[in-house]
């Protein structure tokens, strides 16, 4: 009898994080969209369109935390996308793929640090 791996008893292999990554991309996108709506609402209802007005919005602690949370969501969203690109298109060398992934992680962590530095200077 031939083992054709078709049906409910098929052999599933792979990293098995496709659903988790798909869901993470959707959740982070929703959080970023909600933040955009809030920011747009603050912009459209505001009357002080100066640097001081924007600094006043970003001076509120809850808005700094919301902004930094969105930055973290953006960086995780970018990580999932870039990791998938490296895994799909850099197939000839595992070492090269690892170098690209580590470089991406270092870059994203540096971006998070820079964003925190900018937000808490205001």
């Amino acid at each position: 009898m031939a083992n054709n791996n078709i049906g409910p008893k098929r052999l599933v292999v792979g990293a098995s994080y496709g659903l988790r990554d798909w869901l993470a991309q959707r959740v982070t996108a929703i959080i970023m969209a909600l933040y955009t709506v809030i920011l747009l609402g603050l912009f459209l209802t505001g009357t002080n369109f100066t640097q001081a007005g924007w600094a006043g919005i970003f001076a509120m602690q809850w808005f700094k935390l919301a902004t930094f949370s969105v930055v973290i969501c953006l960086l995780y969203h970018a990580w999932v996308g870039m990791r998938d690109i490296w895994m799909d298109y850099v197939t000839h060398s595992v070492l090269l793929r690892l170098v690209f992934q580590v470089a991406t992680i270092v870059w994203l962590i540096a971006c998070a640090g820079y964003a925190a530095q900018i937000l808490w200077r205001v």
Side-chain angles (χ1 to χ4, degrees):
M1 185 167 153
N3 185 4
N4 55 13
N5 290 327
I6 297 174
K9 294 186 178 188
R10 69 183 184 160
L11 177 63
V12 179
V13 296
S16 301
Y17 45 75
L19 178 63
R20 184 185 67 204
D21 288 344
W22 179 87
L23 189 60
Q25 289 269 292
R26 274 49 185 188
V27 169
T28 55
I30 289 169
I31 291 170
M32 290 185 288
L34 288 173
Y35 177 81
T36 302
V37 169
I38 292 169
L39 188 62
L40 200 59
L42 287 171
F43 177 73
L44 294 176
T45 59
T47 56
N48 190 6
F49 296 113
T50 64
Q51 193 273 339
W54 279 105
I57 291 173
F58 283 93
M60 297 181 285
Q61 192 66 26
W62 73 270
F63 200 72
K64 284 182 183 180
L65 291 172
T67 302
F68 192 67
S69 297
V70 169
V71 167
I72 295 300
C73 286
L74 175 67
L75 297 176
Y76 187 72
H77 192 91
W79 163 246
V80 170
M82 289 306 298
R83 191 203 61 223
D84 287 349
I85 288 171
W86 299 140
M87 288 172 53
D88 289 345
Y89 295 108
V90 182
T91 58
H92 59 279
S93 172
V94 175
L95 181 62
L96 183 61
R97 185 181 332 143
L98 179 66
V99 167
F100 283 152
Q101 288 178 343
V102 169
T104 302
I105 290 170
V106 168
W107 174 256
L108 293 174
I109 290 172
C111 288
Y114 189 58
Q117 189 178 30
I118 290 171
L119 280 172
W120 270 271
R121 273 192 200 163
V122 175

